[in-house]
Amino acid sequence: MLLGAIADDFTGATDLANTLVQNGMRVTQIIGVPDENTDIGQAEAVVIALKSRTAPVAQAVQQTVQALDWLLAQGAAQILFKYCSTFDSTAEGNIGPVADALRTRLGTDFAFVCPAFPANGRTIYQGHLFVGDRLLFESSMRDHPLTPMRDADLVRMMNAQSDGRAGLIPLSDVAAGPSAIAARVAQLKADGICYGVVDAVSNEDLRVIGIAAAGHKLITGGSGVAIGLPDNLRREGLICPASLPEPPEAPGRAAVLAGSCSAATRRQIAHVAQDWPTRKLDVDSIANGDPVTAETVEWALSQPADMPILIFGSADPEEVRATQERYGKLQAGLMMEETLGEIAVALRDEGFGRLVVAGGETSGAVVSALGITALRIGPEIAPGVPWTQALAPSGPALALKSGNFGQDDFFRRAFAAMLS
Ligand SMILES: Nc1ncnc2c1ncn2[C@@H]1O[C@H](COP(=O)(O)OP(=O)(O)OP(=O)(O)O)[C@@H](O)[C@H]1O
Ligand SMILES: O=C(O)[C@@H](O)C(=O)CO
């Protein structure tokens, strides 16, 4: 095993695993901190999916360091800390404190910071993160239920969150090539700066950054920064040609479970809501102790078996705000996540074999409730979202969709891709 990655949420982990697979690596995705019984098969890269993005800082740091120690014990020579392409975090973390802890444990005084994912409209210029043509804080991330983003300056955000200082590696260095990046890194290090926020507006930029990252013990960022890493290993003859990812086996009925409240997920819900059996979950009913899971499953089983069904908690920012005022931000989210997890278990037990889950926290809750510990990565449905197959225990086909990813007709495409 050559490359070890730790992702702070489950959809982020499949996003990264997908990128590595698309770029020719054999990858195993593991759910949660592995132990001595965890089998990685023939993997050249392992992506460990944690649910640490919004966990208390100390817990996020502890889990990540445990995951790191396991990866190092397996022989990983380079570590990638994967966080969201929209830098989802608060002033306290968890990106900064986790990066600090990884740096300390790895004994390295420098790491790139690069959440760019151009295929999904996330670019970095002058250290500022854009979503499409908007600065991060002007995008729908402003109203994220758990990590509302109110800044776009990655140097400032990293300085606020971490113990180490951050500086900029501007696009002009990236355009000038890997040696210009290396020269800037040397200069930043000489100035006592240990995080290099690196501009990137295209996949070509990310490939250049990938070359510059060869030999770095720690890289931090989105899945985009991994695009060039397999080439480094290939150049050294360390990885074998990989076969194309196989589609998952997927007998049984199909369902979408959505907890993401992002603008993209809400558009995707609207796209199928008129045509597919659809049911909205209500946080107040869950809080009242109503039998929401049992009623929803009964409803699901009474729908035509040949139609995908859609179950969602997702709401617009106004409704989310009102709900959070009643129950608290974390509690409101948790109630919905737990309910969607319970529903997923009941549906799987009733023969649903294809599940699309929308939202990172939601995917974490669903995959954990299903007791899945490893995933095989299948073909890509949309940038950053592959089909996967539960390996341990063997089980349903799952597509874990990051909140903001996918076209408006993503849910239709997902099930259509299964048939092709
Ligand atoms: N109606 C609602 N009111 C309040 N919170 C809700 C509601 N519906 C869902 N939620 C919560 O909102 C949060 C959405 O986070 P989640 O990570 O699942 O989606 P996302 O942030 O859009 O996706 P990603 O992290 O992949 O970008 C979850 O905790 C979910 O339970
Ligand atoms: O990087 C992204 O945007 C995604 O992989 C993600 O982490 C969303 O939760």
Side-chain angles (χ1 to χ4, degrees):
M1 204 262 285
L2 301 155
L3 180 64
I6 304 166
D8 68 354
D9 86 340
F10 288 31
T11 49
T14 44
D15 171 12
L16 172 61
N18 179 56
T19 298
L20 294 171
V21 166
Q22 294 287 323
N23 284 278
M25 281 189 94
R26 286 198 304 256
V27 183
T28 297
Q29 180 171 331
I30 293 169
I31 310 294
V33 178
D35 59 27
E36 63 282 1
N37 299 318
T38 306
D39 177 15
I40 60 166
Q42 298 298 307
E44 296 160 332
V46 170
V47 179
I48 297 178
L50 299 181
K51 194 173 182 301
S52 56
R53 186 172 291 175
T54 55
V57 175
Q59 187 181 319
V61 166
Q62 191 210 12
Q63 284 184 0
T64 310
V65 171
Q66 274 181 316
L68 170 66
D69 286 345
W70 186 89
L71 288 168
L72 294 176
Q74 304 296 313
Q78 186 166 56
I79 300 295
L80 177 55
F81 169 35
K82 160 71 178 72
Y83 43 77
C84 193
S85 62
T86 43
F87 208 73
D88 296 15
S89 51
T90 65
E92 290 74 48
N94 292 338
I95 295 173
V98 167
D100 289 341
L102 289 171
R103 240 177 1 90
T104 306
R105 192 63 146 225
L106 286 165
T108 179
D109 57 356
F110 188 84
F112 288 115
V113 172
C114 186
F117 191 173
N120 272 317
R122 280 79 155 135
T123 54
I124 307 171
Y125 183 60
Q126 301 291 11
H128 286 66
L129 183 55
F130 288 81
V131 176
D133 62 357
R134 300 284 90 193
L135 283 160
L136 176 63
F137 63 85
E138 293 178 324
S139 76
S140 59
M141 285 308 296
R142 188 175 179 79
D143 296 314
H144 189 279
L146 304 175
T147 48
M149 299 308 292
R150 301 293 165 96
D151 198 353
D153 183 334
L154 290 163
V155 172
R156 185 162 51 212
M157 288 191 277
M158 206 56 198
N159 277 330
Q161 290 185 25
S162 70
D163 288 341
R165 280 167 57 217
L168 178 65
I169 302 170
L171 196 60
S172 51
D173 287 346
V174 178
S179 45
I181 298 177
R184 179 72 64 178
V185 170
Q187 187 192 323
L188 292 176
K189 280 162 95 169
D191 292 343
I193 287 173
C194 51
Y195 293 111
V197 171
V198 55
D199 283 349
V201 298
S202 66
N203 282 353
E204 287 68 39
D205 294 336
L206 291 168
R207 289 197 186 276
V208 172
I209 295 164
I211 297 170
H216 283 232
K217 280 191 189 162
L218 176 66
I219 302 162
T220 83
S223 59
V225 76
I227 287 179
L229 302 182
D231 277 346
N232 294 339
L233 301 168
R234 204 169 288 117
R235 263 191 301 275
E236 290 183 47
L238 294 172
I239 56 176
C240 314
S243 44
L244 282 175
E246 294 278 322
E249 286 169 24
R253 295 182 59 184
V256 176
L257 299 172
S260 160
C261 299
S262 73
T265 300
R266 286 182 287 120
R267 283 198 302 275
Q268 289 156 355
I269 289 171
H271 197 86
V272 293
Q274 300 300 318
D275 299 336
W276 294 359
T278 298
R279 188 162 173 113
K280 181 168 191 295
L281 304 180
D282 173 35
V283 180
D284 290 327
S285 306
I286 301 170
N288 283 341
D290 297 347
V292 173
T293 300
E295 285 174 5
T296 306
V297 173
E298 195 183 328
W299 166 85
L301 296 177
S302 67
Q303 303 309 312
D306 57 349
M307 291 283 282
I309 61 165
L310 166 66
I311 297 167
F312 69 98
S314 324
D316 60 34
E318 210 170 303
E319 188 180 330
V320 170
R321 223 178 343 265
T323 307
Q324 291 181 337
E325 271 165 24
R326 282 200 290 285
Y327 304 106
K329 192 194 267 192
L330 285 179
Q331 189 53 25
L334 217 57
M335 285 192 287
M336 186 59 77
E337 289 171 31
E338 277 173 12
T339 305
L340 286 166
E342 283 169 15
I343 292 170
V345 171
L347 292 183
R348 187 232 8 228
D349 293 347
E350 293 291 349
F352 281 72
R354 292 170 285 163
L355 300 177
V356 172
V357 187
E361 297 295 328
T362 307
S363 295
V366 165
V367 171
S368 304
L370 291 170
I372 293 165
T373 57
L375 292 173
R376 177 176 72 73
I377 307 298
E380 183 178 79
I381 308 165
V385 199
W387 269 111
T388 73
Q389 178 112 49
L391 279 183
S394 65
L398 291 164
L400 308 179
K401 188 195 80 74
S402 293
N404 277 303
F405 286 1
Q407 312 84 339
D408 289 358
D409 61 352
F410 176 85
F411 296 147
R412 284 182 208 278
R413 281 176 191 248
F415 295 123
M418 264 309 192
L419 302 172
S420 60

